[in-house]
Amino acid sequence: MSHHLVRLFLLLSSVAIDASSALHSDPFTAGVGLNIDCGGTSNFTSEFGRPWVADGYYSGGAVGGGATPLPVAAGAHSPLVPLSPPARRTATRALPGRYYLRTFTAAARSGAYADFIAAVPDGDADLCFCSIATDPPVIASVEVAAIHPLAYGAASTGVDLILVNYGRLTAGSSLFGPGFTNDSDAFSRVWQPDAYFRRRDVPVKALSTGGHQILGANQAPNYFPVKLYETAVTTVNSADALVYLLPVDTRLDYMVWFHFAEIDSGVTMAGQRVFDVLIGGENATRIDIYKEVGGFIAFKWHYIVENLTSTPLVVKLVPVVGKPIICGLENYAVVPLDLATVPSQVMAMQALKESLQIPDRMGWHGDPCAPSTWDSWEGVTCHHSDNGQNLVVTQLDLDSQGLKGSISDKISLLTNLVSLYIWYVFINSLISCAYKANNLDRNLSSNYLEGSLPSGLGRVSLVSLFITLFCDFSNVSFLIRDLSSNQLTGSIPDSLGSSNLKVILLNNNQLDGQVPEKLYSIGVHGGIIE
């Protein structure tokens, strides 16, 4: 597994306004927006009038070579590849708020867009792109647009959530949005056709307003575009349900937004078109658009989907009276802001990265534990701290990694470490005796250790290649010690029985003499000694 990192540091002050005069205003009202041509050397305006700024300030990556521009509609032509370590650029002026961010990651002559909505409380966004494949991430563009602070239900859900786009669909229309068409969207959202997500075996027909004006769109706090409600799809057969298959990750919750407008002039009263909305097999609501708002008026409704057990998420509009109709659909993964690793443990892990000479392929970049849903640091396992306010490192598994170097004395800061596995790791210099973590499962078997067992081995932390350290610790409790199959010689010191060992494995060594009485008592009291 290989990990690579690109970091971009974005100053979220407006390009078009004087940031000092708008410093205390709402960034959405102030019109804050930024479109970065990653790796670009000059500003330009796209064919749809979208301004792009050169990447001479924002990123911590290196400009990728290549004479042929990527076929990117948004206009980013100079992809960014990672530097190691990335350089940090900071900004002094910024506008805190909620933002829509869209990225384009490139691969050869293709790529993919991704977007999400997040709060930036201090106005300084640090975007890290980490790849777990063999190739580094290549970032072609980053777009940032301020949105209304209460958009997408923030009044009830709060702003400490990231909404990751899993599908923003327009029904009965083609792709539209800033950077792709001349159609406007106050949040710079891009809407894609629904056909790919809709079940194909149900015949449908597209509807349009036929020149009628749509009311109730482009209003606070969500500012959904008028164009979204000017088209729709409905079924051909009155008995058929409209069915959408939405991609999801069952570990996450989802916020699904439905967009309706009664744009059929033949529907003139309540009760003429009624349908049920089934989400994941559950009947979530019954919709009568005309009863709710009347004709040619935008109607929005959203639903939180929790505790998913299967994928895809099946959404059905089941007819009750007449045929179901829909103008658009949005599906967002609801990702809570992740906790961060305890700062002292971040320091310890960075020190271990340096002292053990951890290769880039192991992905030891950024926060060791966050995001908690993705083990990006290979061999590192984390859990929540006792108070639930942070993440802590609980296990290091560096089995068969062929590492070199030494164990930094900063390992003593990993006070929650329960298991440390260093099998076949070649450590060629002294290992610190500063480690004091309680209840550590010590497995140092088959490590080619040699020398005599020191008097402080009952409390020793680690033993280096061809060197056995004499360490003197007190008040440290070790449950398991496996020193089997090494080249240890001499007698077994009495101090081995001074800790709270439950298992001690010393077989396949060259030890001599008697087993100390305290150590022998491990077996007498139900433990294991071999």
Side-chain angles (χ1 to χ4, degrees):
M1 181 180 294
S2 180
H3 305 255
H4 303 270
L5 181 76
V6 170
R7 303 182 76 174
L8 296 106
F9 302 90
L10 309 180
L11 168 61
L12 300 182
S13 56
S14 176
V15 178
I17 64 173
D18 179 2
S20 60
S21 65
L23 186 59
H24 300 293
S25 66
D26 172 25
F28 175 66
T29 304
V32 173
L34 190 63
N35 307 310
I36 304 170
D37 178 16
C38 295
T41 57
S42 60
N43 300 345
F44 69 95
T45 300
S46 73
E47 61 179 305
F48 297 109
R50 194 163 178 78
W52 288 86
V53 299
D55 181 19
Y57 178 81
Y58 301 99
S59 72
V63 176
T68 305
L70 291 167
V72 184
H77 291 159
S78 302
L80 185 76
V81 296
L83 272 178
S84 180
R88 182 176 180 107
R89 278 90 168 174
T90 58
T92 56
R93 289 181 178 176
L95 295 178
R98 291 185 79 203
Y99 288 86
Y100 166 85
L101 296 98
R102 182 172 64 171
T103 66
F104 185 85
T105 53
R109 293 186 57 80
S110 63
Y113 283 97
D115 67 70
F116 58 94
I117 293 169
V120 183
D122 60 0
D124 192 6
D126 181 352
L127 302 183
C128 298
F129 299 83
C130 186
S131 170
I132 60 172
T134 56
D135 297 323
V138 179
I139 315 304
S141 64
V142 175
E143 301 165 73
V144 184
I147 70 171
H148 193 284
L150 298 181
Y152 288 98
S156 58
T157 64
V159 298
D160 293 333
L161 296 171
I162 298 175
L163 301 181
V164 181
N165 175 26
Y166 269 63
R168 185 182 299 109
L169 313 178
T170 174
S173 176
S174 56
L175 176 78
F176 74 90
F180 293 89
T181 67
N182 287 318
D183 301 291
S184 62
D185 184 293
F187 293 174
S188 294
R189 291 162 296 202
V190 174
W191 301 80
Q192 65 184 118
D194 69 333
Y196 179 79
F197 299 89
R198 183 171 19 89
R199 211 170 77 181
R200 303 293 182 89
D201 60 348
V202 177
V204 300
K205 66 177 180 178
L207 302 176
S208 66
T209 58
H212 287 82
Q213 182 181 3
I214 290 290
L215 302 177
N218 201 33
Q219 295 181 352
N222 295 305
Y223 292 92
F224 295 121
V226 173
K227 183 177 178 63
L228 177 64
Y229 301 96
E230 292 179 337
T231 61
V233 295
T234 186
T235 57
V236 172
N237 303 313
S238 58
D240 286 344
L242 280 172
V243 181
Y244 288 89
L245 306 176
L246 305 180
V248 291
D249 182 335
T250 55
R251 297 172 298 179
L252 301 173
D253 296 335
Y254 284 80
M255 178 184 290
V256 184
W257 283 77
F258 295 82
H259 300 278
F260 305 107
E262 185 50 80
I263 60 174
D264 184 347
S265 57
V267 176
T268 59
M269 65 178 66
Q272 285 186 288
R273 189 194 304 274
V274 183
F275 53 91
D276 289 333
V277 178
L278 276 66
I279 304 176
E282 296 185 8
N283 195 330
T285 191
R286 177 163 289 184
I287 298 291
D288 184 335
I289 304 169
Y290 203 98
K291 179 180 178 181
E292 294 288 344
V293 295
F296 297 95
I297 300 174
F299 174 60
K300 292 82 64 178
W301 178 77
H302 75 276
Y303 185 82
I304 303 294
V305 184
E306 301 174 314
N307 303 318
L308 288 167
T309 58
S310 62
T311 184
L313 175 63
V314 180
V315 173
K316 293 183 178 181
L317 307 184
V318 180
V320 176
V321 178
K323 304 171 183 177
I325 187 175
I326 190 168
C327 296
L329 188 64
E330 296 175 270
N331 184 31
Y332 294 99
V334 180
V335 182
L337 288 179
D338 216 337
L339 300 176
T341 304
V342 172
S344 60
Q345 298 200 13
V346 174
M347 183 188 305
M349 294 301 294
Q350 292 291 352
L352 285 172
K353 174 185 173 181
E354 296 297 324
S355 65
L356 285 172
Q357 303 174 36
I358 298 292
D360 287 343
R361 61 177 170 78
M362 293 182 66
W364 283 33
H365 306 290
D367 190 302
C369 297
S372 57
T373 55
W374 180 28
D375 295 331
S376 60
W377 284 47
E378 187 174 351
V380 179
T381 301
C382 301
H383 289 85
H384 288 85
S385 60
D386 291 340
N387 62 12
Q389 301 299 309
N390 293 98
L391 298 171
V392 293
V393 178
T394 56
Q395 178 173 311
L396 294 179
D397 186 349
L398 305 178
D399 180 14
S400 302
Q401 292 293 351
L403 303 179
K404 302 177 181 179
S406 62
I407 301 290
S408 169
D409 58 3
K410 291 293 195 297
I411 196 173
S412 62
L413 299 174
L414 300 181
T415 55
N416 302 91
L417 197 61
V418 174
S419 298
L420 175 61
Y421 297 99
I422 310 184
W423 299 348
Y424 303 103
V425 173
F426 294 88
I427 300 173
N428 58 20
S429 60
L430 293 182
I431 299 173
S432 169
C433 298
Y435 189 54
K436 300 179 181 178
N438 287 340
N439 300 319
L440 184 66
D441 172 2
R442 302 301 177 82
N443 191 330
L444 293 172
S445 65
S446 303
N447 250 311
Y448 306 109
L449 305 178
E450 68 174 15
S452 59
L453 292 173
S455 60
L457 189 58
R459 296 179 296 277
V460 72
S461 171
L462 294 171
V463 182
S464 70
L465 177 64
F466 300 123
I467 298 176
T468 303
L469 298 183
F470 292 79
C471 301
D472 188 14
F473 287 101
S474 58
N475 301 320
V476 180
S477 174
F478 299 144
L479 293 179
I480 301 173
R481 181 177 302 284
D482 186 354
L483 292 169
S484 62
S485 300
N486 281 287
Q487 300 174 42
L488 301 174
T489 60
S491 60
I492 303 175
D494 291 339
S495 61
L496 268 179
S498 63
S499 63
N500 294 325
L501 287 169
K502 297 297 188 296
V503 179
I504 177 71
L505 304 176
L506 295 171
N507 55 301
N508 295 326
N509 279 289
Q510 301 176 40
L511 300 170
D512 55 29
Q514 295 183 339
V515 176
E517 182 177 350
K518 291 182 179 180
L519 188 60
Y520 177 74
S521 67
I522 294 175
V524 172
H525 293 93
I528 299 174
I529 177 171
E530 184 174 326

